[in-house]
């Protein structure tokens, strides 16, 4: 089996949905990340064996968005590209696909990442209207057309509101997280404090140059005014200010607010994976190597966002490692409540016995190793791209902070979890 | 030549496919030997009872590149006629055949390629941006001699046909369909099958065409009175544009009119008569020579295996820098575009993006292709990634200190083997090279503005420049679609150097009191695309003032030369020409030129009231330019007359029908040129003294070619 190394990673600035990227299509955003990675690393695009991208909100014009993104970024048409979807861990899935191909010797150089452009969410007509329109394709005579027009009702034109709702349970994710936070006794104050921490750390990481290091500048036609920073980070946010917000989901008894939940974001990210031999041959210096990774599935009813707890437990068990062996930890922050619930689950002996098949808790995560450059709560969360951002950040933090092992984890709709272990190079 | 060397025939289900595949040449070009083949071909098709219809199609990437101009030599009237008559007969046989012929066109169909398709009963073309029809003969001083002047106006209307033949422009697939030149469009992969299907349909029923003319055009072209107005207008407009310098233009109009008013037979007769006459004109000879020189120019004189420069570092994103970046990224050369101001970088990106969007609109480029080309451009304010650049071209302000600073920066941030090129038009490359750690890597890449439009690249070498460096830059220039000449470093190099005594003389005439517009008119009449006064306004008086300084260096120590300071004074008074709408001419708010600004005369001693014969105005400007070109040859600034001609025609629009300054002197006679100069010398002083080379050649009866 071949060893997989991460050469580098990058991302576009992450922007709040409906802001400067609003007029783009998702493939264009993806192209900026891929092109940025090529420019940053100086890799000859002709050497790429594969491009894999994660994506959640699919544009029906570009269902395999990896392809259009790669072509636009100058990757030759001879390079196969595919798009994967696994909710918020789509990019992790794309990276894992790349790793597997390299490990199996099927590829040497893979660009993997993801893109989401929530500004361009497809809005559907109601089912009965879609049915009528579908049938309308077969209309021929004037009479057919007239009877089609006569069949339309005003309610047919009311679009279905797009929601991040779980199809199986019918609940939106915030509702689930509200329930979970309550179950793990996570208070509103704890959540607000965590959210503020995320913003303050992200703002500091930006000032210290850590975030600019992973961002590639984007200049959009027709003005080509460069966009160089994320627009969701609020370094000046305080607990006092965010504690004034009303709950966003459960208006009566909820603890989740707009401030302690991640916001809709447009953005793309990508990492460059290589086999260790190929990196050596081409003279690339890797930042990290991929040691191992896992994907998990849980109950959709009760454990929708507990993926990180399950995945971290499973991964550490496989590697016969403990939390204290880890130097850098990066979790995807869907909600402050979700992060804190997972941390509590990991630290709970009871949870470990009942759910993880362990005799005692996985352990308490040291906050001085945890999400030190901010997270999805502050930087933003383009569903399909976040996994590649976290992978890049983990590798960069290993380089900056000098530890040996880096652990990243994320939850996803559908009650999935993912964790990956990186080793500094 | 055997039929098989050009044509293979495949028969299937009653349709013969005639594949063009010239075994002797890279392109399907038609030589006299090929014309001979057509009788044999037609006998085969018409004599075979199994064949009901036929399709012409090419096995090469292009349909047909037209006649092999080099193969047709002619010394006197009557030499060419037999070939052309044979060609006419062959096309006539196709047109009159009872078996329908379909032309299936992919790639270029130039000249005879378009004319052959016109003789067919239907044309089907691919939608590819590579597919183009065109009758470019006029650019060689000729006319479409294969019945084009007769069949084209009957198919697409007189006005559109004249436009196509008088400009020689390309007609791409979608436009061809719109004007009725192509009956059908299809995809590249389906061309053959679709053409065969179309041919089968034609066997049952001939194609029905609806006129694509507008009602107004129908009324105008449909009656003799309207047509008389049309032809007389066409003549007037063509004369205005060509100033009567291009005999092919009235000849084409004459052929079309004869054919329309007196019938096709008479029209074909005119075509035969005029074609031969045109072949013997010096204008056509000069234009053809230029064309050959341009084609030969694609071969790199500095070696067959130049180092391929992959990545360009462009310093300075102003109008020039953006232009150089554009012709690079569109040809697949990645560009790192650096400037010190973000607005300038953004402005450059906007400029390139707009130009790409235009191509997308014309369907010459897909949206994804345009975006991919744009992605090849990396705007930046620092030297990040410059370690990847194989060549750096600077197009910053014309200040020696700044250029030296940039050389130092490049040496710090780039690889050891990077080529350092300057787009300077007036500073000394030799001085820059002395300053560089590796003088052999320093070279001039002098582009002309606007870069995407101007075809010339003047490559400037110093005594130290390494040959491999020149070869690599030449190769890059070719890939950017430029015609390259290699010149030796010296004040203003070649192109601007021959321009400077010419413009100076024109300003001196203004000082004497000759009207500014009269000077412009005289040179337009001579065949220059713009007059010298307009030119100064266009380049900008800031640059012109700078050039005046260089001019001083060029003529320093030469007897009888005085430099007119008018543009320097105008520049210092805040007149920059077109760019600030204040120069020799007046401009309206939209920047359109309005006529001479009377206040411009304040900078001259003369008041514009003096008149001088047109020939004298032309002679004074032109003779100094010719003489300067000869001095450049003497001094080794240019390697040969070809480079001098290419540089003058493509760099400053020296009248193309003359073939350039050196061929022009050959045509006019060196003796007569020298006599003209002596005459001017007597009248205006020793600056008109002919160069030693000219004196010698006049005595010995030499020629440049």
């Amino acid at each position: 089996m071949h060893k997989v190394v991460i050469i580098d990673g990058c991302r576009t600035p992450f922007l709040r949905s409906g802001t400067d990227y609003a007029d783009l299509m998702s493939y264009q955003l993806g192209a900026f990340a891929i092109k940025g990675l090529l420019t940053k690393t100086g890799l000859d695009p002709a050497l790429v064996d594969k491009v894999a991208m994660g994506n959640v909100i699919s544009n029906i014009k570009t269902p395999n968005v990896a392809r259009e993104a790669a072509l636009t970024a100058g990757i030759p048409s001879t390079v196969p590209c595919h798009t994967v979807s696994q909710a918020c861990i789509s990019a992790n899935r794309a990276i894992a696909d790349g790793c597997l191909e390299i490990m199996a010797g099927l590829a040497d150089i893979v660009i993997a990442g993801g893109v989401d452009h929530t500004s361009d969410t497809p809005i559907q007509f109601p089912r009965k209207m879609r049915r009528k329109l579908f049938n309308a394709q077969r209309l021929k005579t004037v009479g057919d057309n007239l009877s089609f027009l006569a069949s339309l009702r005003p309610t047919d034109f009311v679009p279905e509101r797009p929601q991040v709702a779980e199809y199986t349970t019918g609940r939106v994710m915030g509702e689930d997280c509200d329930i979970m936070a309550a179950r793990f006794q996570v208070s509103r104050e704890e959540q607000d404090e965590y959210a503020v921490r995320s913003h303050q750390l992200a703002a500091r990481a930006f000032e210290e140059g850590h975030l600019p290091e992973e961002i590639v500048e984007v200049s959009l036609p027709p003005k080509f005014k460069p966009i160089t920073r994320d627009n969701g980070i609020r370094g000046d946010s305080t607990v006092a200010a965010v504690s004034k917000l009303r709950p966003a989901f459960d208006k009566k008894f909820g603890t989740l607010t707009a401030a302690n939940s991640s916001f809709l974001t447009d953005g793309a990210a990508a990492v460059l994976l290589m086999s260790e031999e190929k990196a050596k041959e081409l003279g690339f210096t890797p930042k990290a190597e991929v040691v191992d990774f896992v994907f998990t599935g849980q109950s959709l009813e009760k454990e929708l966002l507990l993926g990180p707890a399950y995945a971290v437990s499973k991964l550490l068990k496989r590697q016969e490692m403990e939390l204290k062996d880890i130097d850098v930890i990066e979790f995807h922050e869907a909600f402050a409540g979700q992060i804190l619930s997972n941390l509590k689950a990991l630290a709970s002996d009871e949870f470990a016995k009942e759910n993880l098949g362990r005799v005692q808790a996985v352990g308490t995560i040291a906050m001085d190793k945890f999400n030190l450059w901010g997270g999805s709560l502050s930087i933003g969360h383009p569903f399909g791209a976040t996994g590649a951002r976290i992978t890049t950040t983990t590798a960069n933090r290993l380089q900056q902070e000098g530890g040996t092992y880096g652990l990243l984890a994320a939850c996803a709709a559908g009650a999935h979890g993912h964790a990956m272990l990186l080793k500094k190079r | 030549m055997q039929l098989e060397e050009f044509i293979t025939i495949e028969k299937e289900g009653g349709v013969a496919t005639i594949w063009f595949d010239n075994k002797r040449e890279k392109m399907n070009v038609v030589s006299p030997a090929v014309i001979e083949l057509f009788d044999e071909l037609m006998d085969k098709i018409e004599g075979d009872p199994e064949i009901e219809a036929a399709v012409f199609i090419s096995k090469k990437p292009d349909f047909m590149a037209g006649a092999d101009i080099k193969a047709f030599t002619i010394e006197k009237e009557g030499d060419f006629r037999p070939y052309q008559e044979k060609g006419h007969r062959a096309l006539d046989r196709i047109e009159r055949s009872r078996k329908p012929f379909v032309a299936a066109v992919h790639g270029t169909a130039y000249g005879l390629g378009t004319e052959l398709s016109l003789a067919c009963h239907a044309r089907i073309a691919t939608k590819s941006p590579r597919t183009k029809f065109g009758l470019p003969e006029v650019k060689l001083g000729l006319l479409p001699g294969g019945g084009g002047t007769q069949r084209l106006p009957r198919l697409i209307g007189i006005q559109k046909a004249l436009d196509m033949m008088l400009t020689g422009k390309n007609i791409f697939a979608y436009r061809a369909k719109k004007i009725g030149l192509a009956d059908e469009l299809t995809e590249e992969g389906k061309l053959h099958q679709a053409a065969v299907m179309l041919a089968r349909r034609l066997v049952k029923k001939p194609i029905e065409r609806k006129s694509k003319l507008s009602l107004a055009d129908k009324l105008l072209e449909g009656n003799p009175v309207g047509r008389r107005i049309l032809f007389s207008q066409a003549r007037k407009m063509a004369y205005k544009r060509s100033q009567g310098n291009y005999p092919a233009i009235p000849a084409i109009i004459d052929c079309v009119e004869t054919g329309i008013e007196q019938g096709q037979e008479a029209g074909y007769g005119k075509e035969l008569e005029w074609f031969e006459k045109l072949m013997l004109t010096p204008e056509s000879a000069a234009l053809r020579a230029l064309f050959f020189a341009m084609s030969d120019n694609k071969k790199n004189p500095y070696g067959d295996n130049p180092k391929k420069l992959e990545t360009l570092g462009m310093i300075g994103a102003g109008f020039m820098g953006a232009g150089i970046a554009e012709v690079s990224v569109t040809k697949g050369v990645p560009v790192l575009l650096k400037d010190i101001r973000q607005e300038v970088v953004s402005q450059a990106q906007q400029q390139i993006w707009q130009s790409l969007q235009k191509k997308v609109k014309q369907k010459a480029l897909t949206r994804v292709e345009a975006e991919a080309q744009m992605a090849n451009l990396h705007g930046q304010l620092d030297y990040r990634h410059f370690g990847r650049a194989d060549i750096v071209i600077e197009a910053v302000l014309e200040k020696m200190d700044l250029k030296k600073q940039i050389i130092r920066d490049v040496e710090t941030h780039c690889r050891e083997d990077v080529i350092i090129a300057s787009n300077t038009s007036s500073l000394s490359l030799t001085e820059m090279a002395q300053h560089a750690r590796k003088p052999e890597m320093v070279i001039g890449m002098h582009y002309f503005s606007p870069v995407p439009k101007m075809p010339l690249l003047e490559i400037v070498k110093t005594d130290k420049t390494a040959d491999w460096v020149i070869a690599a830059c030449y190769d890059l220039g070719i890939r950017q679609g430029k015609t390259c000449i290699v010149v030796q470093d010296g004040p203003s190099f070649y192109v601007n150097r021959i321009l400077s005594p010419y413009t100076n003389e024109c300003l001196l005439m203004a000082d004497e009191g000759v009207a500014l517009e009269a000077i412009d008119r005289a040179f337009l009449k001579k065949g220059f695309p713009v007059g010298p006064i307009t030119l100064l306004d266009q380049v900008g008086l800031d640059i012109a003032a700078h050039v005046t300084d260089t001019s001083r260096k060029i003529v320093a120590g030469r007897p009888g030369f005085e430099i007119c300071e008018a543009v320097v004074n105008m520049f210092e008074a805040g007149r920059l020409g077109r760019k600030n709408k204040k120069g020799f001419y007046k401009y309206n708010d939209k920047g359109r030129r309005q006529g001479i600004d009377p206040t411009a005369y304040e900078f001259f001693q003369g008041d514009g009231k003096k008149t001088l014969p047109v020939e004298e105005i032309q002679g004074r400007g032109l003779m100094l330019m010719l003489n300067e070109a000869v001095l450049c040859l003497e001094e080794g600034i240019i390697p040969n007359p070809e480079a001098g001609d290419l540089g003058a025609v493509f760099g400053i629009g020296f009248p193309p029908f003359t073939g350039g300054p050196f061929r022009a002197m050959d045509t006019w006679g060196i003796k007569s040129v020298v006599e003209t100069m002596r005459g001017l010398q007597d009248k205006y002083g020793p600056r008109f003294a002919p160069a030693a080379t000219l004196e010698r050649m006049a005595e010995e009866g030499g020629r440049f070619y």
Side-chain angles (χ1 to χ4, degrees):
Chain A
M1 206 167 71
H2 300 265
K3 195 172 268 179
V4 183
V5 294
I6 296 173
I7 303 300
D8 209 344
C10 72
R11 63 180 177 92
T12 67
F14 283 2
L15 301 190
R16 287 177 172 272
S17 162
T19 56
D20 285 356
Y21 294 150
D23 295 333
L24 292 183
M25 281 172 67
S26 50
Y27 82 89
Q28 294 171 303
L29 215 39
F32 283 120
I34 297 174
K35 180 70 197 179
L37 190 60
L38 292 173
T39 308
K40 202 170 178 196
T41 57
L43 176 71
D44 176 1
L47 296 175
V48 177
D49 294 314
K50 202 134 262 195
V51 175
M53 296 289 268
N55 179 236
V56 177
I57 311 284
S58 175
N59 186 315
I60 49 170
K61 285 182 183 161
T62 56
N64 181 9
V65 66
R67 184 57 161 170
E68 285 74 28
L71 290 175
T72 307
I75 305 273
S77 60
T78 46
V79 178
C81 309
H82 73 274
T83 304
V84 293
S85 192
Q86 198 174 11
C88 309
I89 53 172
S90 297
N92 305 95
R93 183 68 253 174
I95 292 168
D97 281 3
C99 291
L100 291 172
E101 294 223 18
I102 293 172
M103 286 154 77
L106 299 175
D108 278 317
I109 303 178
V110 176
I111 290 178
V115 57
D116 250 293
H117 189 242
T118 47
S119 300
D120 189 24
T121 302
I123 292 173
Q124 289 190 327
F125 281 118
R127 180 75 187 229
K128 60 181 170 137
M129 179 61 167
R130 298 206 308 265
R131 179 114 222 172
K132 284 178 195 173
L133 286 171
F134 186 80
N135 290 334
Q137 293 173 36
R138 279 171 295 192
L139 302 180
K140 283 205 179 82
T141 65
V142 180
D144 286 347
N145 278 297
L146 285 176
S147 60
F148 166 70
L149 287 175
S151 79
L152 297 179
R153 298 286 170 270
T155 53
D156 288 346
F157 293 95
V158 178
E160 289 184 348
R161 231 175 65 189
Q163 279 184 324
V164 196
E166 201 62 41
Y167 182 76
T168 316
T169 62
R171 287 196 295 267
V172 300
M173 200 180 271
E175 292 171 325
D176 268 301
C177 190
D178 236 332
I179 299 167
M180 185 172 74
R183 183 178 149 206
F184 282 93
Q185 307 267 318
V186 177
S187 70
R188 164 79 188 263
E189 290 70 30
E190 283 177 281
Q191 294 182 40
D192 285 348
E193 274 167 22
Y194 185 81
V196 169
R197 171 192 192 261
S198 180
H199 279 280
Q200 288 173 346
L201 288 178
R204 198 171 78 199
F206 198 94
E207 295 317 316
E208 288 173 354
H210 300 313
L211 294 187
E213 169 65 26
E214 60 190 42
I215 291 176
V216 289
E217 172 184 307
V218 166
S219 295
L220 300 180
K223 294 264 177 239
F224 292 96
K225 219 182 112 204
I227 301 168
T228 54
R229 52 195 310 163
D230 310 315
N231 67 4
I233 302 173
R234 296 185 171 179
D236 58 354
S237 63
T238 60
V239 177
V242 299
S243 66
K244 290 198 186 94
L245 288 178
R246 305 258 300 265
F249 300 97
D250 178 350
K251 312 261 187 227
K252 271 189 190 159
F253 306 111
T255 52
L256 269 72
T257 67
N260 61 35
S261 310
S262 59
F263 48 86
L264 287 177
T265 311
D266 301 337
V271 296
L272 176 57
L273 305 170
M274 281 193 199
S275 65
E276 189 179 37
E277 305 90 302
K278 196 68 182 184
K280 204 168 194 183
E281 180 195 323
L282 297 177
F284 282 97
T285 316
K287 287 187 163 172
E289 77 178 63
V290 177
V291 181
D292 197 4
F293 53 84
V294 296
F295 288 87
T296 62
Q298 301 85 236
S299 153
L300 288 93
E301 279 296 340
K302 286 187 182 159
E303 305 171 319
L304 191 72
L305 302 173
L306 274 183
Y310 281 92
V312 166
S313 169
K314 188 173 167 186
L315 183 64
L316 291 179
K317 207 180 274 174
R318 266 167 64 110
Q319 289 296 320
E320 299 178 353
M321 286 173 79
E322 291 180 49
L323 273 178
K324 66 171 168 50
D325 303 325
I326 309 291
D327 306 292
V328 166
I329 303 174
E330 282 289 325
F331 276 24
H332 158 52
E333 300 168 345
F335 303 90
Q338 163 261 338
I339 286 290
L340 296 169
S341 298
N342 274 286
L343 295 185
K344 288 195 175 180
L346 283 168
S348 156
D349 286 336
E350 190 190 332
F351 186 83
K353 276 184 210 142
E354 274 176 28
N355 301 290
L356 302 175
R358 287 174 177 256
V359 283
Q360 62 187 65
V362 178
T364 304
I365 283 180
M367 291 312 277
D368 59 358
K369 296 178 180 176
F370 190 79
N371 285 18
L372 292 187
W373 294 355
S376 301
L377 283 173
S378 47
I379 294 167
H381 172 38
F383 309 126
T386 289
R389 175 186 70 78
I390 292 179
T391 310
T392 305
T393 304
T394 309
N396 284 344
R397 275 186 59 199
L398 280 172
Q399 289 292 324
Q400 283 291 321
E401 296 167 19
T404 308
Y405 287 102
L407 174 69
L408 61 100
C411 59
H416 285 120
H418 169 74
M420 181 177 265
L421 186 66
L422 302 183
K423 190 177 174 192
K424 181 186 175 250
R425 294 291 294 243
Chain B
M1 196 185 216
Q2 300 292 308
L3 192 63
E4 295 72 35
E5 286 179 82
F6 199 88
I7 281 167
T8 46
I9 304 173
E10 269 172 24
K11 283 193 291 184
E12 212 200 312
V15 177
T17 301
I18 301 158
W19 293 98
F20 295 137
D21 189 6
N22 191 346
K23 298 272 172 8
R24 294 189 187 178
E25 303 272 348
K26 236 162 74 187
M27 301 278 271
N28 290 325
V29 286
V30 179
S31 60
V34 174
I35 291 181
E36 305 276 351
L37 301 176
F38 268 77
D39 262 331
E40 189 187 339
L41 171 73
M42 288 308 289
D43 288 345
K44 272 196 174 164
I45 302 292
E46 298 208 293
D48 187 338
E50 281 177 22
I51 296 176
E52 293 177 294
V55 168
F56 286 118
I57 192 168
S58 167
K59 275 212 165 109
K60 292 184 188 286
D62 292 289
F63 184 71
M64 193 177 270
D68 180 3
I69 293 293
K70 263 188 180 160
F72 293 94
T73 46
I74 161 169
E75 275 159 17
K76 57 182 189 310
E77 277 189 50
D79 282 359
F80 190 70
R81 201 179 179 102
Y83 297 124
Q84 206 190 351
E85 278 177 336
K86 239 176 236 164
H88 273 177
R89 265 202 308 279
L91 294 177
D92 196 45
R93 273 187 80 179
I94 295 172
E95 191 175 33
R96 285 170 196 263
S97 174
R98 281 208 222 141
K99 302 181 176 177
F101 279 74
V102 171
V105 177
H106 173 67
T108 303
Y110 275 167
L112 262 181
T114 288
E115 291 179 300
L116 172 74
S117 79
L118 286 172
C120 292
H121 303 92
R123 287 149 294 281
I124 180 167
T126 69
K127 295 173 187 168
S128 161
R130 289 194 57 250
T131 294
K132 43 189 184 278
F133 294 87
L135 294 172
E137 288 85 351
V138 70
K139 294 182 183 168
L140 302 177
L142 301 172
L143 55 75
T149 63
Q150 305 307 306
R151 292 191 182 95
L152 189 64
R154 285 183 172 77
L155 184 69
I156 66 169
I158 299 169
Q159 293 168 84
K160 290 201 185 82
L162 281 179
D163 179 45
M164 201 173 146
M165 290 189 284
L166 296 182
T167 60
K169 69 179 170 197
N170 289 329
I171 305 289
F172 292 95
Y174 289 92
R175 172 95 185 132
K177 173 83 165 69
K178 200 169 163 210
I179 62 174
L181 184 50
D183 296 298
E184 301 287 349
L185 295 185
T186 187
E187 305 298 330
E188 184 182 345
K190 280 161 77 174
L191 182 62
H192 181 227
Q193 196 186 49
V196 169
M197 286 165 76
L198 180 61
R200 285 215 184 93
R201 277 181 217 154
L202 293 185
V203 174
K204 296 200 187 86
K205 198 168 127 233
I207 203 160
E208 278 172 34
R209 291 190 185 90
K210 277 190 216 141
S211 169
K212 309 255 181 177
L213 294 184
S214 67
L215 185 66
D217 285 349
K218 261 185 227 167
L219 286 174
L220 188 67
E221 296 188 11
N223 72 84
V225 181
R227 287 197 300 266
R228 205 173 309 143
I229 298 170
L230 192 164
F231 283 114
S232 111
Q233 276 304 104
R235 283 201 173 88
K236 253 188 236 162
M237 269 172 55
Y239 185 84
K240 207 177 148 202
R241 265 213 315 251
S242 68
Q243 296 288 323
N245 287 319
Y246 293 83
I249 287 173
I252 290 170
I253 301 174
D254 192 25
C255 288
V256 174
E257 185 171 27
T258 307
I260 295 286
E261 304 303 344
Q262 299 168 36
Q264 285 198 47
E265 278 313 306
Y268 286 127
K270 266 276 182 265
E271 218 182 78
L272 291 173
E273 184 190 324
W274 267 118
F275 196 90
E276 247 183 4
K277 275 192 198 153
L278 291 175
M279 280 287 272
L280 293 167
T281 57
E283 287 87 355
S284 173
L287 288 166
R288 276 177 284 149
L290 261 185
F291 175 75
F292 298 142
M294 210 169 78
S295 327
D296 292 345
N297 196 267
K298 295 206 174 80
K299 217 179 139 338
N300 196 329
Y302 284 83
D304 293 330
N305 201 9
K307 177 183 175 184
K308 196 174 173 200
L309 304 176
E310 307 272 4
T311 299
L312 164 66
M314 186 70 226
I315 300 176
F319 191 65
M320 282 307 279
I324 299 169
E326 177 177 340
V327 299
S328 304
V329 292
T330 52
K331 301 289 159 49
V333 179
V335 176
L336 305 166
L337 181 62
K338 181 195 172 300
D339 200 282
I340 47 169
R341 281 166 56 212
Q342 180 59 48
E343 308 89 82
V344 182
V345 175
S346 296
Q347 175 72 36
Q349 287 169 312
Q350 287 168 23
Q351 185 183 321
I352 297 169
W353 177 248
Q354 277 158 10
S355 150
L356 290 177
Q357 286 311 102
K358 216 187 251 168
K359 289 185 202 163
V360 171
K361 230 179 191 169
Q362 294 163 347
K363 293 186 181 158
L365 206 64
T366 68
R367 198 179 145 174
V368 168
E369 280 167 345
E371 284 169 351
Q373 291 185 359
M374 205 64 213
N376 246 343
L377 181 76
H378 194 262
Q380 54 192 76
L381 300 177
D382 50 23
Y383 279 97
R384 227 179 324 160
H385 314 309
F386 264 63
R388 271 171 228 154
D390 300 303
I391 176 170
V392 170
I393 304 178
E394 66 78 18
V396 300
L397 288 179
E398 293 278 67
K399 287 189 181 133
M400 187 51 93
D401 285 349
L402 185 57
K403 309 259 180 194
K404 285 179 179 172
Q405 177 60 47
I406 281 171
I407 291 175
R408 271 194 295 276
D409 289 348
V410 170
E411 285 171 342
T412 314
H413 296 281
C414 296
R415 289 195 317 266
E416 286 264 295
D417 63 342
V418 74
I419 295 175
I420 305 177
S422 170
N423 179 53
T424 182
S425 56
S426 57
L427 298 178
S428 162
L429 259 308
T430 308
E431 189 181 342
M432 286 185 220
Q434 277 163 359
H435 184 77
R437 226 178 284 153
K438 292 183 167 181
E440 70 273 20
M441 312 287 278
V442 175
I443 194 165
M445 294 276 269
H446 183 208
Y447 295 83
F448 294 79
S449 182
V451 181
K453 287 218 176 78
M454 295 296 281
L456 187 72
L457 168 61
E458 191 177 29
I459 297 173
V460 189
K461 64 180 168 95
T462 71
D463 293 336
K464 299 260 173 63
T465 313
D467 277 357
W468 75 263
V469 171
I470 306 171
C473 290
Y474 199 100
D475 177 67
L476 179 65
I478 300 279
R479 279 188 282 142
Q480 290 169 329
K482 299 294 165 207
T483 295
C484 307
I485 59 169
V486 179
V487 307
Q488 183 70 34
D489 185 30
S492 290
F493 320 133
Y494 170 70
V495 176
N496 284 345
R497 173 164 163 190
I498 63 169
L499 203 55
S500 91
Y502 154 80
T503 45
N504 186 55
E505 188 66 22
C506 292
L507 294 173
L508 288 178
M509 286 190 263
D511 249 350
E512 289 165 24
V514 180
L516 291 164
E517 58 266 60
I519 298 172
D520 262 358
R521 258 201 318 271
F523 290 97
L524 283 177
K525 176 80 200 149
K526 195 75 194 169
F528 282 85
V530 288
I533 305 298
T534 307
L535 185 69
L536 287 169
D537 257 10
Q538 281 178 4
V539 256
L541 301 189
D542 47 343
I543 293 173
H546 193 82
V547 169
T548 310
D549 275 343
T550 325
S551 300
R552 262 189 275 273
K553 271 184 235 157
I554 300 172
V555 300
R558 288 200 214 158
F561 256 99
E562 60 180 299
I563 301 288
C564 177
E565 302 287 340
V567 275
V568 180
N569 298 334
M570 287 174 83
F571 164 60
E572 278 164 7
R575 298 173 92 113
L576 300 181
R578 190 172 57 179
K579 60 183 91 156
N580 75 344
K581 296 178 195 154
K582 222 169 153 50
F584 288 100
Y585 282 88
K586 275 189 294 198
Y587 297 86
N588 69 8
D589 291 342
K590 283 184 189 147
R592 285 191 76 98
R593 213 179 68 182
Q594 301 291 314
I596 288 287
D597 182 345
T599 61
Y601 285 107
E602 291 167 11
F603 298 89
F604 292 93
Q605 287 161 29
D607 54 4
K609 302 256 160 63
K610 184 183 162 187
T611 52
L612 212 57
V614 173
E615 296 74 30
E616 188 138 333
I617 298 177
Q618 292 169 341
R620 284 175 66 178
L622 202 61
M623 288 305 138
L624 285 182
M625 188 189 269
L626 297 179
N627 204 41
E628 201 65 35
V630 176
L631 290 174
C632 285
L633 189 62
E634 275 179 10
E635 294 169 21
I637 296 287
I638 46 172
N640 49 42
E642 281 94 341
D645 281 347
L646 284 174
V649 172
F650 294 116
I652 53 181
F654 192 93
F657 65 89
T658 64
F662 293 97
R663 193 169 293 274
M665 286 187 269
D666 273 357
T667 309
W668 299 330
I670 309 284
K671 234 188 190 134
S672 112
V673 170
V674 167
E675 275 163 25
T676 310
M677 284 191 197
R678 291 231 177 88
L680 290 167
Q681 188 182 355
D682 293 342
K683 217 163 158 186
Y684 296 102
R687 64 178 181 277
F688 286 97
T693 309
L694 283 177
E695 300 254 24
R696 203 192 61 239
M697 286 172 82
E699 227 161 85
E700 295 168 1
R703 294 171 62 86
F704 289 106
Y705 287 95

